[in-house]
Amino acid sequence: MNVTLRLAFRNIKEHRAKSIIIGMFIILGTAIVELGNGFLESVNRGLELDFRAHYTGDIVISAPAPENTKMDMFGISNMSSLGDIQQIPALEDINAIEEQVKSLKGVKSETKLISAKAMLMKGDEADFDMEGDSGSMPTCFLFAGENDTYFKMFPGQHISEGTYPDKNENTLLIDSRLRDKYYKYYKTNLNVGDTILLAGYGAQSIVREAKICGFYTQPEEHSAMYPLVYCNPSFARAFADLTYGATFAQSLPSSVDTTIADSSEDDLFGGSDTMIASDSGVLGKGKENFNNILGDTTLRDKLNKTDDGAWNFIILKLDNSLNDKKTVKELNNMFTANKIHARALNWKNASATFTSSVDGISGIFTALVVILAIVVFIIIMNTMTVSVIERTSEIGTMRALGAEKNFIRRLFFNESVFIGAFSSVIGSIIAIICMLIINSFKIAIDNDTVKLILGGGLIAFIPTVKNILGTILLITTGSVLANIYPLSAALKITPLKALSKDGE
Amino acid sequence: MAVVTFSNVRKVYPLGKQQVVAVNGATFSVEKGEFAAISGPSGSGKSTILNMTGLIDVPSAGSIIIDGTDVYNGINLEETQTDTGRWENTGNGKKKVKTTLPAKLDNRITGLRRSHLGFIFQTFNLIPVLNVYENIEFPVLIGKKGDSESPVDSFSKEQKEEWIDYLIEKVGLTDWKKHKPSELSGGQRQRVAIARALVTKAPVILADEPTANLDSKNSGQILSLMKNLNRDSELQTTFIFSTHDTRIVNMCDHVIHLLDGEITKDEHKTGSDSYGLAEVQ
């Protein structure tokens, strides 16, 4: 065996206490990093499989997000100010988008979706004074897919009672979790055939009546997905504000002056005193005129009618889902080239409401790992420096006997690589055993907030070869780097020092 | 033929703001096969001369020739200082003294040490994690192929093993070759150090107070062993001691007397063998 390797192994054995201290820190660090990576891998993989298979497909096409907002399939978050909850805009020029999609290769299937937020109500109106916190309110996402294609693309719902929503009636297929929430909040059971009210979110406080056609359990037991209610598109369009009026407003050219929309009622119609007392002004010519102006609601009704051709999203599944990034890029280039007001997103961006929290956790975890690495790094460096001081005589003797500085470098390199690699392998084995044990318990958390933060309710770990080898390489490199300072101290030891220290 | 030649060698150590002259203008030669001693009281500079002979300390001025190689020829000695790690007031605030030798010079000196010089330390300085055989083998293993002048480098693996076994037998440690230094007595450790010094067939062995940590019986045996090795016509090894042990001085055929860093007497003796050996045996 090479003399430096032999010396390295013997020194590690000889200085057991030091080696064990360093080894324990590396083992602990490796296990923490790999458990964290294994958990994040499990979360990411679980989210991806669940969302691609049941909610987002591989690619989602939507209108661009309104200015200063973030938008995905589950809503819009306004980054600049608080205000009314904005509805997801409808796709403009849907035919042109579909033409572009048809020209793409590798598209397996296509469907369309309307998405809105709603809350189940008891009786005629929502009872916000009921006991219980707002987090337990029976709120949901309202999903309405294209009649013939949506449930073919996403057939995973396990219907426990009833049937899918009717194409022509306002019926609802409700998530069983929402039924439980409803019961907890209103102390009333929901059954198939019951008629309930749904209240919409947003500027228009819309309330609609619908009949429950069935209940289902979500495809993935521990999914992070909020409760969904499936309905037919025309019902959902009212909640998503996909009316002719909205579509008309959306398609107005920028040259049209819409500042009137920002004016108050008083600005438009004068103060209340004026309206009652005065005979002048717009509304001042008597009851007859008043009725003539406001009594005719034909235009308003027309604009409030839902736009049957309006959709929020086009969802695509690809023959090979690994091509999603490439296809997203291709589609976005097509939209830009053809001046189509739309954007394509991959599954992750389309479900950012859920994936961003996992990304946040990944960031926090990375920061913790960096702090941990610095602490371990300093401990290794300190221990090795003490070791160098203890071995001054030995190193000096080697130099006196003709060992070049490179020999001392190799010696320390071998020692640190061996301790780093061996300990990180042990750490990996411990981490894998921990993962297997925890996975076998199938620990699940049934809290929507925790599910949203953790990307799902199941606490599981997936050890991957890439993560394990990457961690071992990283830790080994780190332990080599931690030896730079002790090594520089060792290289300064001259043979002269061998004579001034007690030898063996 | 001289194996070590000092010409007007001077060594100055900075001590705070002052300069301490450890060796001043040392000039002497040691011939091949001599049993030589550098002798003098504590602080006379004998260890400094031995360290400079062993190329583990760099002179401030002068020339040192080891087995025909003028070690510092063409080198500005003022710029080469050994590592002291000191901070000195240079007039412009405190500055760290340049402490390391240039890499090229360091490697050349290290190669010369390995191939031309053997060391026997007062405190034995064996490598604690290696056994007797491995400690002796160590200088052979650290040689870089192609740039070493040690005759052992051209040996086959079997020849090297035979040679190391021969040395182990010579120093009387055949039964102890698999033992670690911690399992040996002081005398046995010094025997290992002697064999290790001889293993590269270096023409010069330097021994710094080799008997200082041994009892009188072990001292006698070690000195006797070294004298026998010195006499061995196959090895033809030159021994240079730094010592104030009169028994060693009496055994030597060449004694360099030092006082306050200067050579006061360069004495070549005859008939010292019998006296020395008689005393130590």
Side-chain angles (χ1 to χ4, degrees):
Chain A
M1 193 194 292
N2 178 296
V3 66
T4 48
L5 277 178
R6 192 195 305 166
L7 274 168
F9 289 139
R10 301 266 180 92
N11 274 320
I12 288 166
K13 203 176 149 195
E14 182 75 12
H15 303 278
R16 258 180 236 105
K18 174 209 80 180
S19 307
I20 289 170
I21 290 169
I22 294 175
M24 291 297 282
F25 276 106
I26 294 176
I27 288 169
L28 185 71
T30 308
I32 290 172
V33 171
E34 286 186 8
L35 282 168
N37 281 336
F39 179 69
L40 290 173
E41 180 71 28
S42 157
V43 165
N44 281 321
R45 212 183 276 190
L47 263 180
E48 183 171 357
L49 284 174
D50 184 24
F51 275 69
R52 275 191 198 255
H54 308 119
Y55 309 109
T56 63
D58 296 317
I59 290 170
V60 173
I61 299 167
S62 73
E67 208 174 328
N68 291 327
T69 65
K70 279 187 175 176
M71 184 179 90
D72 69 358
M73 277 178 75
F74 304 94
I76 293 176
S77 57
N78 195 319
M79 293 179 286
S80 59
S81 64
L82 292 169
D84 290 330
I85 296 170
Q86 286 180 269
Q87 295 291 3
I88 298 165
L91 280 166
E92 291 174 44
D93 208 358
I94 206 157
N95 294 333
I97 295 170
E98 287 199 295
E99 262 180 46
Q100 301 298 328
V101 170
K102 273 176 196 162
S103 70
L104 275 178
K105 282 179 185 171
V107 177
K108 189 176 167 186
S109 54
E110 178 197 331
T111 189
K112 297 185 193 80
L113 178 75
I114 296 156
S115 166
K117 280 180 189 166
M119 179 175 152
L120 303 192
M121 295 162 65
K122 182 191 172 190
D124 292 340
E125 56 187 75
D127 187 347
F128 295 105
D129 297 328
M130 296 298 292
E131 287 180 13
D133 61 86
S134 59
S136 64
M137 286 163 74
T139 54
C140 62
F141 287 115
L142 204 56
F143 263 31
E146 192 177 44
N147 284 330
D148 299 325
T149 55
Y150 185 82
F151 286 113
K152 277 184 189 166
M153 187 185 273
F154 302 118
Q157 305 80 10
H158 307 296
I159 296 185
S160 52
E161 278 180 64
T163 59
Y164 282 103
D166 191 279
K167 288 178 191 176
N168 304 313
E169 282 185 49
N170 290 345
T171 54
L172 307 172
L173 177 64
I174 297 176
D175 189 322
S176 301
R177 292 176 297 166
L178 193 60
R179 182 195 219 177
D180 298 340
K181 268 189 161 184
Y182 187 90
Y183 178 77
K184 277 182 192 165
Y185 199 72
Y186 295 120
K187 308 290 181 227
T188 305
N189 268 321
L190 286 179
N191 294 299
V192 174
D194 287 354
T195 299
I196 56 164
L197 291 174
L198 261 83
Y201 281 66
Q204 291 186 335
S205 302
I206 192 163
V207 177
R208 289 280 189 277
E209 190 180 76
K211 201 171 167 186
I212 299 169
C213 65
F215 294 98
Y216 74 95
T217 52
Q218 56 189 342
E220 292 294 331
E221 192 185 351
H222 303 291
S223 175
M225 175 56 84
Y226 270 5
L228 281 181
V229 170
Y230 293 102
C231 60
N232 70 45
S234 61
F235 184 74
R237 279 186 185 108
F239 289 89
D241 202 16
L242 297 181
T243 57
Y244 284 108
T247 313
F248 175 70
Q250 194 181 330
S251 58
L252 280 175
S254 55
S255 58
V256 175
D257 181 8
T258 57
T259 51
I260 195 169
D262 299 326
S263 305
S264 71
E265 286 162 356
D266 286 350
D267 291 341
L268 289 171
F269 305 112
S272 56
D273 293 345
T274 317
M275 199 166 79
I276 295 164
S278 170
D279 281 346
S280 61
V282 179
L283 303 172
K285 299 203 173 167
K287 196 177 173 185
E288 199 180 322
N289 279 347
F290 186 79
N291 280 337
N292 283 344
I293 294 165
L294 294 180
D296 182 7
T297 58
T298 319
L299 179 62
R300 189 186 69 190
D301 291 344
K302 204 172 176 181
L303 290 173
N304 279 344
K305 206 178 165 194
T306 54
D307 180 353
D308 291 340
W311 296 93
N312 292 132
F313 303 103
I314 292 175
I315 300 174
L316 308 178
K317 272 199 176 177
L318 303 177
D319 290 328
N320 182 356
S321 57
L322 294 176
N323 289 336
D324 59 349
K325 278 185 187 166
K326 190 182 133 201
T327 312
V328 163
K329 199 175 172 187
E330 204 174 334
L331 271 169
N332 282 327
N333 288 340
M334 282 176 173
F335 295 152
T336 310
N338 294 292
K339 294 181 180 166
I340 295 171
H341 204 51
R343 62 171 185 169
L345 304 166
N346 63 12
W347 78 272
K348 198 169 185 180
N349 291 329
S351 54
T353 300
F354 297 89
T355 55
S356 59
S357 63
V358 177
D359 288 343
I361 288 180
S362 299
I364 293 167
F365 176 70
T366 308
L368 288 175
V369 165
V370 169
I371 293 167
L372 180 80
I374 292 169
V375 171
V376 171
F377 189 85
I378 291 169
I379 290 167
I380 294 175
M381 196 166 75
N382 191 42
T383 314
M384 288 303 288
T385 306
V386 172
S387 168
V388 165
I389 293 165
E390 283 172 358
R391 289 160 63 185
T392 298
S393 168
E394 183 187 327
I395 294 162
T397 303
M398 288 179 189
R399 296 279 286 126
L401 296 175
E404 288 182 0
K405 285 185 175 177
N406 268 342
F407 180 89
I408 307 296
R409 266 190 204 104
R410 283 202 305 276
L411 183 64
F412 273 76
F413 177 79
N414 287 342
E415 278 185 38
S416 53
V417 165
F418 184 77
I419 292 181
F422 181 76
S423 304
S424 53
V425 167
I426 297 287
S428 299
I429 292 168
I430 290 171
I432 291 168
I433 291 169
C434 288
M435 288 182 204
L436 293 175
I437 290 170
I438 297 170
N439 286 351
S440 72
F441 285 118
K442 295 194 187 316
I443 301 164
I445 298 167
D446 193 25
N447 177 296
D448 287 343
T449 311
V450 176
K451 280 183 177 180
L452 178 68
I453 293 168
L454 298 182
L458 188 67
I459 305 297
F461 299 86
I462 298 177
T464 64
V465 174
K466 186 183 154 196
N467 274 343
I468 289 169
L469 291 182
T471 307
I472 291 173
L473 186 69
L474 191 77
I475 298 276
T476 308
T477 309
S479 53
V480 171
L481 293 178
N483 263 298
I484 289 176
Y485 176 72
L487 176 64
S488 73
L491 291 177
K492 281 182 185 164
I493 294 171
T494 63
L496 202 53
K497 286 191 177 165
L499 302 176
S500 57
K501 291 262 180 180
D502 285 346
E504 183 75 26
Chain B
M1 179 201 167
V3 283
V4 174
T5 304
F6 268 50
S7 301
N8 209 19
V9 172
R10 183 178 159 84
K11 179 68 186 178
V12 179
Y13 289 113
L15 188 71
K17 289 179 181 175
Q18 292 185 329
Q19 304 266 305
V20 175
V21 179
V23 176
N24 193 11
T27 300
F28 66 89
S29 291
V30 177
E31 298 296 317
K32 190 172 176 70
E34 274 187 354
F35 207 62
I38 301 160
S39 178
S42 290
S44 61
K46 56 186 186 299
S47 286
T48 306
I49 286 191
L50 196 80
N51 291 341
M52 288 192 289
T53 311
L55 310 182
I56 54 182
D57 204 352
V58 183
S60 308
S63 96
I64 297 172
I65 298 169
I66 304 289
D67 203 20
T69 304
D70 190 347
V71 182
Y72 302 108
N73 186 25
I75 290 161
N76 185 352
L77 287 171
E78 282 181 8
E79 289 180 0
T80 59
Q81 291 187 54
T82 49
D83 183 3
T84 56
R86 285 170 295 100
W87 289 80
E88 277 196 353
N89 199 333
T90 57
N92 300 321
K94 283 200 166 183
K95 261 189 179 175
K96 194 161 190 183
V97 174
K98 190 177 175 342
T99 55
T100 48
L101 289 174
K104 209 172 171 184
L105 176 63
D106 187 77
N107 284 345
R108 193 163 74 85
I109 288 174
T110 305
L112 274 172
R113 265 203 305 272
R114 179 182 164 269
S115 55
H116 287 73
L117 300 159
F119 291 89
I120 300 166
F121 301 100
Q122 182 180 332
T123 48
F124 323 128
N125 290 69
L126 302 180
I127 296 165
V129 293
L130 300 179
N131 64 30
V132 167
Y133 183 94
E134 290 164 338
N135 259 291
I136 297 168
E137 186 190 27
F138 182 77
V140 178
L141 296 176
I142 58 176
K144 272 208 309 195
K145 278 182 184 173
D147 72 340
S148 175
E149 293 167 40
S150 169
V152 184
D153 293 335
S154 58
F155 283 12
S156 67
K157 195 183 165 197
E158 290 72 25
Q159 283 173 316
K160 281 178 187 168
E161 284 172 4
E162 265 178 43
W163 169 236
I164 294 164
D165 283 335
Y166 168 76
L167 289 172
I168 290 172
E169 195 188 332
K170 270 266 188 197
V171 296
L173 289 172
T174 307
D175 294 337
W176 297 86
K177 65 191 249 185
K178 296 288 177 198
H179 287 71
K180 293 269 178 69
S182 57
E183 298 160 351
L184 304 177
S185 68
Q188 285 172 317
R189 289 183 203 185
Q190 201 59 301
R191 287 165 187 270
V192 179
I194 291 167
R196 183 180 65 183
L198 291 166
V199 76
T200 55
K201 296 200 170 187
V204 182
I205 304 290
L206 303 168
D208 185 18
E209 304 278 11
T211 56
N213 282 337
L214 300 175
D215 58 36
S216 59
K217 188 185 167 195
N218 270 312
S219 298
Q221 288 172 350
I222 290 295
L223 289 172
S224 174
L225 172 66
M226 287 195 279
K227 190 71 187 173
N228 286 335
L229 290 167
N230 173 245
R231 283 172 167 176
D232 190 316
S233 57
E234 191 192 339
L235 296 172
Q236 285 192 321
T237 312
T238 307
F239 281 80
I240 304 175
F241 299 90
S242 152
T243 185
H244 47 59
D245 185 339
T246 49
R247 288 175 306 169
I248 298 176
V249 173
N250 290 339
M251 284 171 68
C252 290
D253 40 35
H254 181 184
V255 182
I256 297 154
H257 296 272
L258 280 175
L259 186 66
D260 295 335
E262 291 188 3
I263 296 172
T264 52
K265 193 176 175 186
D266 192 352
E267 181 187 10
H268 289 268
K269 297 191 288 185
T270 52
S272 59
D273 278 0
S274 55
Y275 176 79
L277 280 173
E279 189 162 283
V280 297
Q281 277 171 350

